[in-house]
Amino acid sequence: MSIPHKPFVFFLLLSLLLLLHLFFSSTPSSPRTTAVATSTAAIRMRPGFRSYDDYIKRQLNKTLDPRLRRLWATRDWDRKVRVFARFFADLAAEGLVSNASAALCIGARMGQEVAALRGIGVVGAVGMDLAPAPPLVVAGDFHAQPFPDDSFDFEFSNVFDHALYPERFAAEVERTLRPGGVAMLHVAVHRRGDKYSANDLLGGVDGLLGLFKRSDLVRVRKVDGFGLDTEVVLRKKNSHK
């Protein structure tokens, strides 16, 4: 009775071997896959968000705090505008932003960054935040920017640590930047962000750089940017290749 089962057993084993071969031969092993794995490993996501709605609510707790909004609009205003203007003037001196640039400030709160850009002559600057602050800041989520592809020549953000999905943050910057456009990010490398942060960079900017697939690094330098210690400047490639 066991003899008729031998061909069936042989066929079953052969089928399993073929399936294993197909599975392993189709597993991605491209450099891009490796880069993603490396970059995400260098970014620690903070726990505590039960859902995306919970994350948004927590971010708005800071953005809409009446005490903070008064502070940002009064005592903090001139000081922050002056500091941001110095950062942007350095870029202008390097030819990385100009008066003709269409510029976006991501996570701009009340709009000090926008005022600083307009103050040095970049009149086409606008800010974006979960809560708008007219006339400088419009409503928008940096995980899904409300702008068409290739909208801006320059984008600035100092809220990367607030991104719940860092890959989507980077992808949206690259989507809305025009080819050859410049992105400047201020991040915390040697210190933790505030209690509203959703991620932390671990020991350097490699994790951040690994997310920007369509951009080249221009420079990295140390700065004193309101608790953020590192400035990263990238330029979007002229080709999608």
Side-chain angles (χ1 to χ4, degrees):
M1 293 296 294
S2 62
I3 294 175
H5 288 80
K6 287 184 178 180
F8 172 77
V9 173
F10 175 76
F11 177 75
L12 181 62
L13 289 173
L14 182 61
S15 299
L16 288 172
L17 288 173
L18 286 172
L19 286 171
L20 287 171
H21 172 74
L22 289 171
F23 173 79
F24 286 111
S25 64
S26 62
T27 301
S29 58
S30 66
R32 175 166 295 187
T33 302
T34 302
V36 171
T38 301
S39 65
T40 53
I43 300 174
R44 178 194 292 127
M45 301 308 301
R46 294 191 186 182
F49 300 107
R50 297 185 299 272
S51 66
Y52 194 69
D53 286 342
D54 181 54
Y55 158 79
I56 292 294
K57 181 179 179 181
R58 185 168 176 183
Q59 297 302 314
L60 286 172
N61 283 343
K62 179 178 183 178
T63 302
L64 296 177
D65 184 307
R67 182 186 63 82
L68 288 176
R69 290 182 81 82
R70 283 194 301 272
L71 179 65
W72 294 333
T74 55
R75 191 180 74 190
D76 263 10
W77 185 268
D78 289 340
R79 177 176 66 94
K80 287 193 172 182
V81 169
R82 285 196 303 270
V83 173
F84 283 130
R86 288 199 297 270
F87 291 137
F88 298 142
D90 288 346
L91 282 184
E94 297 174 61
L96 297 174
V97 66
S98 74
N99 290 358
S101 295
L104 174 66
C105 297
I106 302 167
R109 307 298 188 201
M110 300 295 291
Q112 294 103 327
E113 305 98 309
V114 182
L117 279 167
R118 293 184 180 183
I120 67 166
V122 186
V123 295
V126 65
M128 179 190 73
D129 204 284
L130 288 173
L136 299 179
V137 181
V138 301
D141 183 344
F142 52 53
H143 293 111
Q145 290 189 24
F147 307 108
D149 296 356
D150 304 335
S151 291
F152 301 102
D153 303 295
F154 174 70
E155 297 192 24
F156 168 75
S157 184
N158 59 1
V159 296
F160 174 79
D161 59 305
H162 289 250
L164 185 62
Y165 302 111
E167 297 90 343
R168 286 170 62 177
F169 178 101
E172 283 295 277
V173 170
E174 292 189 316
R175 180 184 67 79
T176 55
L177 266 181
R178 294 167 181 160
V182 171
M184 182 169 81
L185 305 177
H186 284 182
V187 296
V189 172
H190 301 292
R191 64 185 75 171
R192 285 173 59 87
D194 63 24
K195 66 180 182 180
Y196 297 96
S197 297
N199 71 76
D200 296 291
L201 295 176
L202 302 179
V205 297
D206 288 349
L208 173 67
L209 298 178
L211 300 176
F212 286 84
K213 308 301 180 187
R214 300 161 58 188
S215 303
D216 293 319
L217 177 64
V218 176
R219 62 171 164 78
V220 176
R221 70 172 182 173
K222 296 300 175 188
V223 294
D224 182 6
F226 309 110
L228 305 177
D229 54 38
T230 302
E231 179 178 277
V232 179
V233 179
L234 303 131
R235 189 192 295 273
K236 183 177 173 179
K237 298 175 183 178
N238 285 311
S239 170
H240 293 306
K241 296 179 180 180

